[in-house]
Amino acid sequence: MSTLADQFSHDLSTLLRSGALEGSFADFVQLSGKNLEARTRRYDEWRSNRLKHGVWPFSTELQSGPGPEVTVIDEAGKQRTGVNFASQDYLGLAAHAGVRAAAIEAINQYGTHIAGAPVLQGNSSLSLRLQKALGEMVGLEHVVLFPTGWAAGYGVIAALVRDADHVVLDQYAHNCCVQGAMAATRKVHRARHLSTNGLVRHLPRIRAGDAKNAILVVTEGIFSMDGDSPDLAALQSACREYEATLLVDVAHDLGAVGPDGTGSLGLQGLHGKVDLVVGSFSKVFASNGGFVSTSSTAIREYLRPYAPSHTFSNAISPPQSAAVLMALEIVRSVEGEALRQKLHGVAQVLREALTAAGVVCLGKPGPIVPVLLGREALGRIMAALCFDRGVFANLVEYPAVSVGACRFRMQVMATHTPAQAQFAAEVTAWAYQLAKKLLAHPTSAGTAV
Ligand SMILES: Cc1ncc(COP(=O)(O)O)c(C=O)c1O
């Protein structure tokens, strides 16, 4: 029979006294004082303390591509090999031979870099073909490319919204849209997560007081933190009723769910029918990069000189365009459908095994399997235990979620096996229960379990 302390390789009483389980990134947002460098030191002390006590799971180093089994080194230098539910490569296309070959061919033809922003000679035949293919896939033919998904979300809002306009965001809208909204206007409204009524409720109120200015409503196809989806048809029709514009960020669902990979929009019968779609290549399409898709030529033309992260940033490189083009082709093929089925099969095994072990998952079946933990202390101990046992997933703390609402987010790939999902669920459930016990009875680390 082992004790709690045996199972937890760290010295729990030292850890509890160290302060490494306390505090959050939120404590260091406000800075004051005239010395910019000195103002950052308090944060660095907090970070170093967490690192020293083994509860700093961020910025780890991958020793290979983001496959289902990887070797990882943490920032303290600890190395582990294990199953990887921390990467975002839902169909496993980053390792696909066809995608790799396309990128290599592009390098051979163009080199590694296009050496210009899109408006200043940064397009290639590959990026132009990609725009066209994406327009077909999303069903909104006019596409503008961005160097990242973040740049796309930020750029489209910064380009289109002015300070008299309103932006209504789901509470969990991604940081790129939140930052874009805050840069564009002070009239930013947040609605309770996933509440159609919550979002829609703002529209008559805003319209009653302001008949002249624009309203942009922002949501996601699958939310990155909770793995759930809004009622997009209800949102789009409310937007039409109040002359608002709907923007849907499909970073996590395009390619990964829906008929022919058309995402939540396809699943909800809205393919090609919403106002603005923003996406990222970094979750399914094996590359950095992002895009905005619209049925309006005028919006496309306006974005090109007025979306700062498109206009003033280098275009995606030829190997990136080539990788995404090939990934798109696979996503829309029979092979893509088979990969999606594998992805959903493994995700289901993971979800069911976690639930059977008493761990509550958020969201609905799909590539994101988030476990809501709440207290950061619980998440930090649990993440350390999982890392030690070779299960890699992401501890999500503020600013990605609110303080006191941390999550252990697992992301599935089509290339995972059901056995890997089963193992990850067992270790995660064990770590969750043990972390809870350790925190509930901090003085009883010697207790037999
Ligand atoms: C919903 C959502 N939108 C946008 C992005 C940004 O995408 P990228 O990583 O391509 O910058 C992310 C990435 O985490 C995301 O989750």
Side-chain angles (χ1 to χ4, degrees):
M1 188 171 287
S2 63
T3 65
L4 284 175
D6 294 335
Q7 295 199 38
F8 189 53
S9 61
H10 304 62
D11 175 350
L12 182 66
S13 51
T14 310
L15 176 61
L16 286 169
R17 274 186 277 108
S18 70
L21 297 176
E22 311 300 325
S24 109
F25 292 93
D27 301 338
F28 310 96
V29 174
Q30 299 305 330
L31 296 172
S32 59
K34 63 186 172 199
N35 184 324
L36 272 178
E37 191 275 337
R39 298 178 348 173
T40 60
R41 285 188 211 145
R42 237 168 34 88
Y43 164 73
D44 192 37
E45 283 158 18
W46 177 76
R47 183 202 68 90
S48 306
N49 192 41
R50 285 186 62 175
L51 186 65
K52 181 171 150 201
H53 290 94
V55 286
W56 179 254
F58 307 114
S59 311
T60 52
E61 176 190 332
L62 260 183
Q63 294 281 287
S64 62
E69 192 173 321
V70 290
T71 298
V72 179
I73 305 177
D74 75 8
E75 282 211 309
K78 192 194 280 181
Q79 177 169 324
R80 289 287 180 278
T81 296
V83 292
N84 176 24
F85 287 86
S87 296
Q88 306 186 329
D89 185 24
Y90 297 145
L91 297 187
L93 296 180
H96 190 284
V99 174
R100 286 180 176 210
I104 290 166
E105 198 183 316
I107 291 177
N108 290 338
Q109 193 181 345
Y110 291 88
T112 54
H113 181 43
I114 199 67
V119 284
L120 299 176
Q121 208 167 265
N123 297 321
S124 63
S125 65
L126 292 165
S127 67
L128 297 181
R129 270 173 54 208
L130 176 57
Q131 286 176 191
K132 196 162 178 302
L134 269 170
E136 281 167 19
M137 165 104 189
V138 177
L140 301 169
E141 68 178 302
H142 302 296
V143 170
V144 179
L145 297 177
F146 288 78
T148 63
W150 194 96
Y154 178 89
V156 63
I157 300 179
L160 298 178
V161 174
R162 292 292 170 272
D163 54 9
D165 299 329
H166 304 260
V167 183
V168 185
L169 297 139
D170 183 287
Q171 176 192 353
Y172 289 164
H174 190 260
N175 175 275
C176 57
C177 293
V178 177
Q179 296 292 332
M182 291 194 324
T185 176
R186 276 188 297 165
K187 296 178 184 166
V188 176
H189 315 259
R190 304 300 291 265
R192 196 155 53 79
H193 175 55
L194 218 60
S195 160
T196 307
N197 290 341
L199 272 175
V200 168
R201 197 168 42 81
H202 286 280
L203 301 181
R205 188 180 54 74
I206 295 170
R207 269 286 164 254
D210 184 352
K212 287 202 296 237
N213 295 296
I215 308 172
L216 178 70
V217 174
V218 179
T219 190
E220 293 180 14
I222 291 184
F223 278 91
S224 58
M225 289 303 148
D226 281 13
D228 46 16
S229 297
D231 181 345
L232 294 165
L235 292 179
Q236 182 62 80
S237 88
C239 285
R240 298 258 149 86
E241 187 180 341
Y242 293 99
E243 291 180 274
T245 300
L246 180 66
L247 181 156
V248 185
D249 181 339
V250 299
H252 291 272
D253 54 297
L254 187 72
V257 305
D260 300 323
T262 50
S264 294
L265 290 167
L267 267 180
Q268 297 192 25
L270 287 178
H271 182 244
K273 293 188 186 146
V274 296
D275 298 322
L276 286 170
V277 169
V278 170
S280 162
F281 303 139
S282 64
K283 329 290 174 196
V284 172
F285 300 95
S287 172
N288 281 9
F291 71 93
V292 173
S293 201
T294 165
S295 60
S296 160
T297 327
I299 286 189
R300 182 196 61 196
E301 289 311 319
Y302 195 81
L303 291 181
R304 299 208 297 179
Y306 290 104
S309 45
H310 170 84
T311 319
F312 294 100
S313 199
N314 257 255
I316 60 170
S317 66
Q320 288 176 322
S321 293
V324 180
L325 257 177
M326 181 53 78
L328 253 178
E329 200 177 311
I330 296 165
V331 159
R332 299 174 82 188
S333 70
V334 176
E335 182 184 358
E337 195 52 50
L339 289 171
R340 273 188 292 281
Q341 277 182 23
K342 280 192 70 188
L343 166 69
H344 292 284
V346 176
Q348 195 176 341
V349 171
L350 180 61
R351 223 169 235 283
E352 284 175 4
L354 284 166
T355 309
V359 178
V360 179
C361 306
L362 296 171
K364 57 171 200 158
I368 305 175
V369 183
V371 176
L372 179 62
L373 302 174
R375 270 178 85 181
E376 284 74 14
L378 179 66
R380 288 173 199 168
I381 294 180
M382 183 176 158
L385 288 166
C386 285
F387 183 86
D388 267 346
R389 294 276 166 114
V391 171
F392 310 127
N394 286 312
L395 175 64
V396 186
E397 299 188 18
Y398 176 93
V401 291
S402 321
V403 174
C406 86
R407 286 147 172 75
F408 194 63
R409 184 176 65 167
M410 312 181 79
Q411 286 166 294
V412 182
M413 298 182 248
T415 43
H416 280 122
T417 62
Q420 286 169 329
Q422 192 71 42
F423 171 71
E426 276 160 25
V427 171
T428 301
W430 162 80
Y432 176 68
Q433 305 300 355
L434 180 57
K436 276 211 316 198
K437 266 190 221 153
L438 288 167
L439 285 170
H441 309 287
T443 50
S444 62
T447 308
V449 286

